[in-house]
């Protein structure tokens, strides 16, 4: 945490930054909290983009103000060097982020709809879509204003799918890239969207010189949509860049004192000598936490020999709590975990240890002591947890991995692979992972870790930049 005094004055006075590398994303690298005494605290985030961009000079990150603290920071002219936060009208932002990005585009790409009743594209949807256009236009205009001649602009994710097309019109001199961190929907599912909206989204991304994805599968799905709906991808190049784990950072951070403390606390909770099945996720609909719990219950039910010998350590951190469907899902995760503990628990053994408060040091502690990692999303762009656990694991960890995670393309051959909807098969996979011979588990972990770090964040970012400038 840094205080307001540590932050730099904003580079805003009508003078454009003339940056040569610009990144645009909804969530930026820093967020502000407004204290009761009026103070502003800045919290810096991590992740692939933060790490990747650190390798570049002469850069600007354009992001949205997300909460009251961020908005106040913009009003007071407080900003980190190299970051411009856009104070888009709060209602417009809520429509664009909660209404369209998270409730429509996220649902389409992760195929989350219960289609007998949803989606419904009505007048309310059209109203929110107009906000989504306004929000994308605010980004396009800010980028057009800030970019130096011929600069490279890397636009991130479904939130900003319309930006490349809008920016191309404003500044034809720029090199524009778009990167999707999510899966891309297959064409039959993408066509749930109203036809004009589907076309507008594809044209928006095709405004970029390059559209890039985390895996070949998602890139092919995008090409499939463009081909069938528009007749082709036009002049836009398609790229694949499979973001890897940041081994140097993770290994260093995972051996700091606070992580050791949390390992001791977790061992206390799980009990001596017990095996652990670890999962760490945002409480996100696509992460399939509930079916993971049901598979664990099936394991305890069908293979009683595991009772008292294993603990499911499940970290499910809050996400998108403005949306009722996420709040309901969070409640369901708690309910099923409680149910398992009530049904199978006994003095000295709590079958499920569920933590819902975000704590990065505790996540790393769980990574280190996991015997089995459960990563079973119903659909996921990549899933970095699947890559991080083998890198950090102290004594080798068997990975139970969904074939619907992007990480499956790189890690599938050394994981125990599951269909995420098949709870019985997931229970059998957990048993297989728990009984894997020590030498096999160690050898697989070594290969998983090598595959996981093949493309570290800085290289991932620089590769995109090089390709954008070259193509
Ligand atoms: O997976 C796509 C992604 O944009 C990630 O980059 C990020 O972890 C998440 O979704 C964003 O979540 P939020 O809605 O909390 O910003």
């Amino acid at each position: 945490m840094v205080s307001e005094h540590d932050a730099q004055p904003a580079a805003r006075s009508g003078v454009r930054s003339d940056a040569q590398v610009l990144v645009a994303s909804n969530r930026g690298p820093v967020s502000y909290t407004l204290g009761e005494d009026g103070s502003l605290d800045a919290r810096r985030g991590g992740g692939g983009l933060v790490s990747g961009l650190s390798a570049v000079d002469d850069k600007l990150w354009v992001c949205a103000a997300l909460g009251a603290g961020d908005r106040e920071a913009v009003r007071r002219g407080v900003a980190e060097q190299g970051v411009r936060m856009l104070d888009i009208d709060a209602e417009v932002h809520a429509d664009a982020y909660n209404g369209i990005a998270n409730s429509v585009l996220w649902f389409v790409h992760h195929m989350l709809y219960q289609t007998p009743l949803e989606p419904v594209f009505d007048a309310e949807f059209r109203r929110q879509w107009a906000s989504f256009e306004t929000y994308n236009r605010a980004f396009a205009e800010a980028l057009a204003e800030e970019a130096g001649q011929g600069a490279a602009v890397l636009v991130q994710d479904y939130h900003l799918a319309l930006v490349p097309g809008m920016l191309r019109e404003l500044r034809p001199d720029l090199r524009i890239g778009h990167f999707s961190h999510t899966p891309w929907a297959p064409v039959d599912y993408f066509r749930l969207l109203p036809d004009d909206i589907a076309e507008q989204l594809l044209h928006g991304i095709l405004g970029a010189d390059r559209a890039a994805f985390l895996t070949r599968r998602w890139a092919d799905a995008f090409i499939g949509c463009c081909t069938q709906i528009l007749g082709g991808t036009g002049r836009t190049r398609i790229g694949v860049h499979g973001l890897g784990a940041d081994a140097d950072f993770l290994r260093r951070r995972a051996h700091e004192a606070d992580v050791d403390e949390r390992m001791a606390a977790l061992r206390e909770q799980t009990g001596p000598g017990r095996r652990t099945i670890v999962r760490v996720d945002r409480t996100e609909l696509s992460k399939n936490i509930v079916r993971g719990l049901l598979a664990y219950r099936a394991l305890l039910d069908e293979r009683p020999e595991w009772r008292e010998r294993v603990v499911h350590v499940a970290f499910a951190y809050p996400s998108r709590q403005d949306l009722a469907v996420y709040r309901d899902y969070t409640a369901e995760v708690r309910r099923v975990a409680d149910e398992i503990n009530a049904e199978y628990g006994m003095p000295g053994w709590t079958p499920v240890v569920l933590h819902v408060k975000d704590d990065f040091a505790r996540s790393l502690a769980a990574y280190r002591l996991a015997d089995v990692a459960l990563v079973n999303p119903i659909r996921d762009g990549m899933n970095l947890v699947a890559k991080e656990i083998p890198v950090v694991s102290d004594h080798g960890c068997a990975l139970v991995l969904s074939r619907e995670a992007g990480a499956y393309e790189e890690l599938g051959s050394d994981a125990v692979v599951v269909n995420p909807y098949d709870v019985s098969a997931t229970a059998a996979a957990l048993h297989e992972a728990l009984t894997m011979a020590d030498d096999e588990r160690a050898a697989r972990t070594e290969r998983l870790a090598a595959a996981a770090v093949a493309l570290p964040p800085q290289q991932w970012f620089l590769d995109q930049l090089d390709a954008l400038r070259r193509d």
Side-chain angles (χ1 to χ4, degrees):
M1 283 248 196
V2 294
S3 72
E4 178 176 351
H5 307 292
D6 298 312
Q8 307 294 318
R12 303 271 66 244
S13 52
V15 184
R16 73 181 210 194
S17 71
D18 268 338
Q20 276 308 309
V21 177
L22 297 93
V23 164
S25 64
N26 174 63
R27 191 176 292 280
V30 62
S31 66
Y32 296 89
T33 316
L34 186 57
E36 280 177 13
D37 60 352
S39 64
L40 276 178
D41 271 333
R43 185 189 287 262
R44 296 189 188 88
L49 270 175
V50 172
S51 167
L53 199 60
S54 66
V56 174
D57 296 325
D58 194 7
K59 61 203 170 193
L60 182 73
W61 192 322
V62 177
C63 56
L66 299 181
D70 288 358
R71 291 179 193 286
E72 186 56 25
V74 177
R75 278 179 209 129
R76 289 187 200 171
V78 172
E80 297 270 309
Q81 189 82 47
V83 178
R84 177 172 169 193
M85 256 185 195
L86 305 180
D87 186 4
I88 297 164
D89 176 81
E91 283 179 21
V92 169
H93 186 267
D95 285 345
Y97 174 67
N98 286 321
I100 300 295
N102 289 342
S103 300
V104 177
L105 302 181
W106 183 271
F107 272 57
V108 167
H109 289 313
H110 292 84
M111 308 200 319
L112 293 174
Y113 284 119
Q114 308 208 18
T115 51
L117 293 175
E118 54 176 22
V120 173
F121 296 116
D122 55 7
E124 173 61 5
F125 165 77
R126 291 285 164 177
R127 192 191 62 71
Q128 292 186 330
W129 185 259
S131 294
F132 186 70
E133 291 174 322
T134 304
Y135 155 87
N136 273 257
R137 185 157 300 285
F139 272 84
E141 284 170 357
L143 291 163
E145 193 181 307
E146 300 283 3
Q149 184 67 24
V153 182
L154 293 123
V155 179
Q156 309 299 313
D157 246 337
Y158 53 101
H159 313 91
L160 303 181
L162 305 181
V163 168
M166 292 173 168
L167 184 55
R168 167 76 56 223
E169 281 186 13
L170 295 169
R171 290 286 304 272
D173 61 299
L174 300 177
R175 302 297 294 168
I176 305 171
H178 184 275
F179 195 90
S180 293
H181 296 259
T182 60
W184 192 273
V187 64
D188 287 352
Y189 205 89
F190 191 71
R191 278 191 151 142
L192 292 181
L193 290 166
D195 293 353
D196 61 319
I197 301 292
E199 285 172 23
Q200 199 182 339
L201 283 166
L202 296 175
H203 280 306
I205 291 180
L206 291 177
D209 297 287
R210 272 187 109 239
F213 299 84
L214 286 164
T215 70
R216 189 71 248 164
R217 183 181 177 192
W218 313 140
D220 286 345
F222 176 74
I223 293 169
C225 287
C226 292
T227 308
Q228 293 202 39
I229 296 172
L230 303 179
T233 52
R235 291 167 50 193
T236 303
R237 312 251 176 178
I238 307 298
V240 175
H241 303 271
L243 175 62
D246 191 344
D248 295 342
F249 165 72
L250 286 168
R251 290 191 178 125
R252 180 172 25 84
R253 183 68 187 85
H255 287 87
E256 288 179 9
D258 59 343
V259 177
D260 288 332
E261 276 165 31
R262 281 158 178 84
M263 278 180 83
L266 277 174
R267 283 213 183 90
E268 186 102 337
Q269 282 183 301
T270 59
R274 292 202 174 104
R275 300 301 199 89
T276 54
I277 299 170
V278 167
R279 77 172 308 136
V280 177
D281 292 294
R282 293 186 293 118
T283 310
E284 164 48 57
L285 310 178
S286 60
K287 300 294 183 186
N288 209 21
I289 303 169
V290 172
R291 283 196 196 81
L293 287 164
L294 297 179
Y296 178 65
R297 178 161 74 188
L299 176 81
L300 298 180
D301 187 46
E302 287 156 23
R303 299 183 187 271
E305 69 269 23
W306 284 117
R307 295 180 196 169
E308 291 189 90
R309 289 180 51 219
V310 66
V311 174
H312 185 14
V313 176
F315 296 169
Y317 299 145
S319 180
R320 303 183 186 167
Q321 293 293 297
D322 287 345
L323 297 179
V325 63
Y326 279 73
R327 294 196 297 274
D328 293 349
Y329 188 73
T330 305
E332 183 64 2
V333 167
R334 283 179 190 267
R335 193 189 66 73
V336 178
D338 288 347
E339 208 173 78
I340 295 171
N341 284 338
E343 194 176 342
Y344 293 96
M346 40 187 95
W349 177 52
T350 306
V352 181
V353 169
L354 175 68
H355 284 292
V356 297
K357 190 170 174 300
D358 195 349
D359 180 340
F360 184 56
R362 192 180 50 208
S363 299
L364 291 174
Y367 285 7
R368 282 182 58 188
L369 56 74
D371 295 299
V372 173
L374 176 57
V375 180
N376 65 327
I378 55 182
R379 213 168 147 84
D380 209 334
M382 175 56 75
N383 197 298
L384 276 181
V385 173
K387 291 187 166 181
E388 289 169 352
I389 294 185
V391 171
V392 167
S393 164
D394 274 358
H395 52 269
C397 172
L399 174 64
V400 174
L401 179 63
S402 164
R403 64 189 187 198
E404 305 305 325
Y408 166 75
E409 270 183 28
E410 292 158 86
L411 307 182
S413 52
D414 282 299
V416 182
V417 175
V418 292
N419 166 353
Y421 298 94
D422 190 340
V423 166
S424 302
T426 306
L430 290 174
H431 176 73
E432 185 186 334
L434 285 164
T435 51
M436 191 179 285
D438 288 350
D439 54 348
E440 186 181 349
R441 196 177 59 179
R444 285 199 195 203
T445 304
E446 209 171 296
R447 290 194 295 268
L448 286 168
V453 302
L455 189 55
Q458 286 204 356
Q459 199 55 47
W460 169 81
F461 185 80
L462 292 175
D463 285 359
Q464 290 177 59
L465 199 53
D466 284 352
L468 183 59
R469 286 172 165 158
R470 200 181 46 234
D471 285 353

